[in-house]
């Protein structure tokens, strides 16, 4: 090899060595972490771990679930926002964290629209209006009539101040004109216990936490707060069918990454999660738990979040609910 050829070869190798570090790494290049603002063992945790197994197989990298509950999702969101915007840390949260808490909390640490890039919605669990199985109220019309005629009115339980159950019940009250008083609890479990023992008259709660109690004759379902009947409770009519329109909502969960994440990483995560949500075995498992798979494109989920924020903000403000 002459001197000229040797010099050209050296220059070529040098240019490769300089260019290589600048190349974008294939995504994912390391394990992915799903950060949840919920405790381990709950329905959202089970949902996330189910999806994590499928996504890990799809992407060929481990997927870890990291539970960071507390502060209305702010602890988990902060953990995500402290990581690089490369798609390897994903915020998996619900209606409250994406669409309610920003308005509900007087001071909130993140903006779900500006600070996060939506990946896809995951599942939705419609709310169902329930009373105790031995309640004298057997139909929605009886409930509404009693709320109007009773001197002291009726009471309704919720999962907490500013929760979807609270806000939807406030909307139900405004649409029916009944006299109803709110009783806030810390979660569905204690609230449902008091509904089942008739300490509180009724509640709007997701099918994911009520279906088994309805089938076990502990609760009586009067109506579904959904645009259509749900496969888990096909005999339960919607509120609209019973004459109360516009009162429909579900608790939903979705996935998002830090703003600034490359579009290619967002799309890769979307494809992996949507593939999991379209798996018949996963769909069947979710349906048995009162949830329905609800995949969307990143753009669809972005518009969905904006619509949900616009929907809930006026209800929060009119209810007077706020958290420090």
């Amino acid at each position: 090899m002459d001197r000229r050829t040797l010099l050209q070869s050296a220059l070529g190798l040098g240019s490769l060595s300089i260019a290589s570090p600048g190349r974008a790494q294939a995504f994912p290049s390391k394990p992915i972490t799903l950060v949840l603002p919920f405790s381990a063992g709950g329905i959202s945790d089970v949902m996330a771990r189910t999806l994590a197994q499928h996504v890990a197989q799809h992407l060929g990298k481990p997927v870890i679930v990291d539970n960071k509950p507390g502060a209305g999702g702010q602890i988990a969101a902060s953990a995500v926002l402290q990581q690089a915007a490369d798609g390897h840390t994903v915020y998996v949260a619900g209606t409250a964290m994406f669409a309610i808490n920003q308005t509900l909390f007087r001071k909130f640490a993140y903006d779900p629209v500006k600070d996060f890039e939506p990946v896809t919605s995951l599942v939705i669990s419609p709310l169902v209006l329930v009373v105790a199985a031995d309640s004298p109220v057997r139909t929605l019309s009886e409930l509404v009539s009693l709320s109007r005629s009773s001197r002291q009115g009726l009471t309704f339980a919720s999962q907490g101040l500013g929760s979807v159950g609270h806000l939807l019940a406030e909307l139900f009250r405004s649409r029916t004109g009944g006299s109803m008083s709110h009783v806030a609890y810390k979660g569905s479990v204690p609230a449902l216990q008091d509904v089942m023992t008739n300490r509180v008259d009724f509640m709007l709660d997701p099918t994911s936490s009520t279906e088994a109690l309805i089938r076990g004759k502990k609760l009586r379902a009067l109506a579904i707060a959904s645009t259509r009947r749900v496969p888990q409770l096909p005999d339960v009519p919607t509120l609209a069918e019973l004459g109360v329109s516009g009162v429909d909502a579900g608790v939903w969960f979705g996935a998002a990454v830090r703003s600034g994440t490359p579009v290619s990483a967002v799309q890769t995560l979307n494809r992996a999660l949507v593939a999991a949500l379209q798996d018949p075995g996963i769909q069947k498992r979710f349906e048995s738990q009162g949830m329905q798979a609800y995949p969307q494109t990143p753009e669809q989920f972005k518009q969905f979040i904006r619509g949900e924020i616009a929907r809930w903000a006026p209800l929060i403000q009119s209810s007077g609910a706020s958290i420090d």
Side-chain angles (χ1 to χ4, degrees):
M1 182 180 293
D2 60 28
R3 183 178 177 185
R4 183 177 179 182
T5 303
L6 183 62
L7 181 60
Q8 288 175 338
S9 299
L11 287 172
L13 289 171
S15 64
L16 283 175
S17 64
I18 293 171
S20 295
R23 290 180 182 175
Q25 286 186 316
F27 176 85
S29 60
K30 59 183 180 180
I32 292 170
T33 301
L34 306 182
V35 182
L36 274 67
F38 310 103
S39 300
I43 192 72
S44 56
D45 180 67
V46 173
M47 176 269 298
R49 293 179 189 278
T50 300
L51 293 175
Q53 293 177 0
H54 195 285
V55 170
Q57 294 174 355
H58 184 94
L59 296 179
K61 294 290 183 181
V63 179
I64 303 159
V65 175
D66 187 9
N67 303 89
K68 292 186 178 298
Q74 295 177 92
I75 295 173
S78 177
V80 176
L81 296 175
Q82 289 173 12
Q83 301 301 313
D86 58 9
H88 290 95
T89 309
V90 183
Y91 188 43
V92 176
T95 316
M97 295 81 190
F98 282 121
I100 291 177
N101 289 353
Q102 184 186 15
T103 305
L104 180 65
F105 281 69
R106 289 192 178 95
K107 293 181 180 180
F108 203 58
Y110 68 91
D111 186 318
V113 174
K114 295 179 180 179
D115 294 335
F116 287 95
E117 190 66 38
V119 175
T120 181
S121 50
L122 300 172
V123 297
I124 189 166
S125 183
L127 270 65
V128 55
L129 195 156
V130 294
V131 298
D134 59 354
S135 169
V137 176
R138 304 193 66 83
T139 65
L140 186 73
S141 61
E142 289 178 1
L143 181 79
V144 173
S145 296
L146 187 60
S147 72
R148 293 170 177 170
S149 62
S150 173
R151 179 173 298 178
Q152 68 271 25
L154 300 182
T155 55
F156 66 89
S158 81
Q159 308 85 355
L161 187 68
S163 63
V164 175
H166 171 206
L167 298 175
L168 201 64
E170 294 285 4
L171 182 59
F172 174 71
R173 172 168 60 182
S174 70
R175 293 295 173 87
T176 60
S179 175
M180 306 171 189
S181 301
H182 176 219
V183 183
Y185 291 80
K186 292 183 178 180
S188 290
V189 173
L192 288 171
Q193 287 174 344
D194 277 5
V195 173
M196 288 187 288
T197 55
N198 284 299
R199 291 189 181 93
V200 184
D201 294 308
F202 74 95
M203 181 178 184
L204 281 155
D205 203 54
T207 53
S208 56
S209 52
T210 56
E211 182 189 1
L213 295 172
I214 293 167
R215 295 191 182 281
K217 309 298 182 184
K218 300 291 182 65
L219 291 170
R220 178 184 300 134
L222 301 186
I224 290 284
S226 176
T227 55
R228 60 178 65 89
R229 297 193 185 196
V230 298
Q232 296 90 346
L233 300 168
D235 297 328
V236 180
T238 68
L239 283 164
E241 286 180 70
L242 299 174
V244 183
S245 61
V247 184
D248 55 84
V251 171
W252 51 266
F253 298 92
V257 290
R258 182 178 166 183
S259 290
T261 298
V263 174
S264 58
V266 174
Q267 293 291 350
T268 298
L269 287 169
N270 176 270
R271 288 192 294 270
L273 285 165
V274 169
L277 293 167
Q278 292 175 339
D279 181 87
I282 288 179
Q283 289 183 347
K284 186 175 181 180
R285 181 174 182 180
F286 285 167
E287 287 179 4
S288 71
Q289 297 167 335
M291 300 181 291
Q292 298 169 28
Y294 193 50
Q296 291 182 307
T297 66
E299 182 59 33
Q300 287 172 334
F301 188 34
K302 179 181 292 186
Q303 296 307 316
F304 178 76
I305 291 172
R306 291 180 183 273
E308 287 285 278
I309 292 172
R311 176 189 195 186
W312 294 118
L315 278 172
I316 297 166
Q317 293 160 355
S318 63
S319 73
S322 66
I323 296 175
D324 291 327

